[in-house]
Amino acid sequence: MTRPRKAARKPTLSVVIIGGGVMGCAAAYELSRRGVKVTVLERSVPGAEASSAAAGILGAQVESHRPGPMTKLGLLSRKLYPALVRDLERISGISIEYRRSGVLKVAYAASDVARAARELAWQGKAKLPLARLTRTALLAREPALSRELSGGLWFEADATLEPRALLSALRISAEKLGAEFRSGSFVKGVAEESGRAVGVELDDGSVVSGSHVVLAAGSWTSLLAKSDATMPRVVPARGQIVELRTSAPLLSSVLFGPDCYLVPRADGRLLIGSTLEFVGFRREVTAGAVAKLLMAAIRLVPALADAELSGSWSSFRPYTQDELPLLGPSATPGLILMSGHYRNGILLAPISAQIVADCVTGKKPPLDLTPFSPDRVSK
Ligand SMILES: Cc1cc2nc3c(=O)[nH]c(=O)nc-3n(C[C@H](O)[C@H](O)[C@H](O)COP(=O)(O)OP(=O)(O)OC[C@H]3O[C@@H](n4cnc5c(N)ncnc54)[C@H](O)[C@@H]3O)c2cc1C
């Protein structure tokens, strides 16, 4: 393996990133690649929260219900993944298990398949790959599916990966390119001088200085933003996942069914997700949620009744009321927001990192950031 060359440093730029989730790690990698000095401050360890709990679906199409800025952001990000994965795997030596698996969205009633096809017809008109499958075509593609299903939609370009491996690969690659990660560093707030962000203050009273601060603290972002700030609040939206293990893989693509989604992993694990709950920062996995997820999954794939129950967890999606991320420069000069990616932070990490790096290095971002402005009217 060739050793990555450290890029020539631009000494005037030094970025302090708050949070070592997929956002903080992706920004650290992209900024280091561009020769910027980076320090990531993480109160726990990188990837400790939502980013490692995610199912790893890169659902740019299946998660897009109408054309608009979020669809554009997701499609741009999905396109960045193959090259990013290749580079990260080469630099870090870690397999991210990226697969263009495709996503199947299925329904029991024929009228539900027809409605979904009507609602997503705009994707076909926009030349995005989308096909309607009859029941026969569906069962030919995934023979383990229930005979109760009427058909579905096939999003062949959506993909999947292993988020924990992505996090490790991003961190290791960023470190090899010169980024510094400080685990166990609890940030109390952003340090300002004459109204400009100049670094962050830690809970031991010390200050870590930088020319820019990137706030990427996931569901905890609003706890760190100034109390008089008008930006939309980021709140935790809990999601629970159940993991099963089968001796042979039962599915090849990701499945979106009524009441759950299923994500097969190469090693025989299968994730069943997920709930959507506004219960603050309560970390439990609940009996009711596990029961509902298991029932929905077994109805979709009856053979799962014999699978081994191998794990369960929950974590917090960073949710904003208008369901758009806070991405780009804030009203405080030097402070850049990278948060609120809600259900699609893994998908959106590559494009978000590019945007943040463009803001720091003075390059024009690849799309209009107005809809994602941290200073849009708070809802
Ligand atoms: C169950 C579930 C399934 C999901 N599935 C998918 C999926 O399939 N595809 C997809 O694209 N997305 C998925 N998501 C969404 C995705 O996980 C999130 O959008 C994404 O991980 C958010 O990344 P983040 O870096 O903003 O937040 P996080 O990963 O939560 O990272 C924030 C980090 O900031 C740190 N931090 C907070 N406060 C401080 C402080 N004061 N000082 C220092 N550090 C601090 C935290 O410790 C944490 O490590 C899922 C989420 C959940 C919960």
Side-chain angles (χ1 to χ4, degrees), residues 38-356:
V38 177
T39 308
V40 181
L41 301 168
E42 166 55 52
R43 61 176 185 188
S44 175
V45 291
E49 300 286 354
S51 302
S52 297
I57 305 162
L58 308 179
Q61 281 182 244
V62 73
E63 288 272 331
S64 287
H65 305 295
R66 68 196 74 85
M70 273 309 272
T71 297
K72 201 166 172 193
L73 198 68
L75 290 171
L76 282 172
S77 208
R78 186 179 73 182
K79 207 166 162 189
L80 292 174
Y81 255 110
L84 175 68
V85 167
R86 200 178 52 235
D87 289 347
L88 291 177
E89 291 188 340
R90 178 177 51 80
I91 299 172
S92 69
I94 291 174
S95 164
I96 295 166
E97 295 174 35
Y98 170 84
R99 224 166 37 93
R100 200 174 130 153
S101 57
V103 175
L104 272 173
K105 187 181 166 84
V106 298
Y108 292 107
S111 55
D112 288 340
V113 182
R115 201 188 51 236
R118 261 195 323 273
E119 284 170 2
L120 292 174
W122 63 270
Q123 292 199 3
K125 287 187 191 131
K127 305 235 175 322
L128 296 169
L130 173 63
R132 185 167 167 178
L133 300 187
T134 60
R135 183 170 171 275
T136 312
L138 186 66
L139 294 174
R141 185 170 283 285
E142 296 289 359
L145 286 181
S146 161
R147 270 52 191 160
E148 275 187 81
L149 290 163
S150 292
L153 298 179
W154 171 232
F155 303 86
E156 69 168 59
D158 280 344
T160 181
L161 52 71
E162 169 53 84
R164 292 170 201 178
L166 172 68
L167 264 287
S168 301
L170 281 169
R171 181 182 54 77
I172 290 169
S173 301
E175 277 177 337
K176 287 195 174 180
L177 294 168
E180 185 191 352
F181 284 77
R182 296 195 201 163
S183 295
S185 298
F186 189 97
V187 174
K188 254 176 54 184
V190 176
E192 289 184 20
E193 260 174 39
S194 313
R196 185 185 166 87
V198 292
V200 304
E201 196 186 336
L202 299 183
D203 62 348
D204 64 3
S206 63
V207 170
V208 183
S209 305
S211 63
H212 295 77
V213 174
V214 174
L215 180 45
S219 292
W220 296 267
T221 297
S222 293
L223 305 180
L224 280 158
K226 278 193 286 187
S227 56
D228 63 346
T230 53
M231 55 176 99
R233 283 182 59 72
V234 181
V235 298
R238 185 169 76 182
Q240 304 187 38
I241 286 195
V242 177
E243 185 192 76
L244 303 182
R245 198 175 277 279
T246 55
S247 47
L250 291 173
L251 292 175
S252 60
S253 41
V254 171
L255 198 75
F256 270 54
D259 304 321
C260 75
Y261 58 74
L262 304 180
V263 183
R265 294 270 192 257
D267 62 2
R269 284 177 301 139
L270 185 132
L271 307 190
I272 310 171
S274 179
T275 59
L276 175 58
E277 305 156 273
F278 292 94
V279 291
F281 289 102
R282 283 170 49 193
R283 256 179 221 284
E284 311 92 305
V285 172
T286 61
V290 172
K292 278 190 191 148
L293 289 171
L294 285 174
M295 270 164 57
I298 292 168
R299 186 172 174 206
L300 280 171
V301 181
L304 284 176
D306 295 324
E308 178 195 344
L309 189 56
S310 54
S312 62
W313 57 84
S314 72
S315 193
F316 309 110
R317 306 175 187 92
Y319 168 87
T320 60
Q321 206 181 346
D322 60 11
E323 298 187 12
L324 298 174
L326 309 181
L327 192 55
S330 70
T332 305
L335 176 63
I336 296 167
L337 267 287
M338 191 189 195
S339 184
H341 293 78
Y342 187 35
R343 299 165 57 96
N344 288 299
I346 303 296
L347 166 68
L348 297 172
I351 191 70
S352 302
Q354 279 209 356
I355 288 169
V356 165

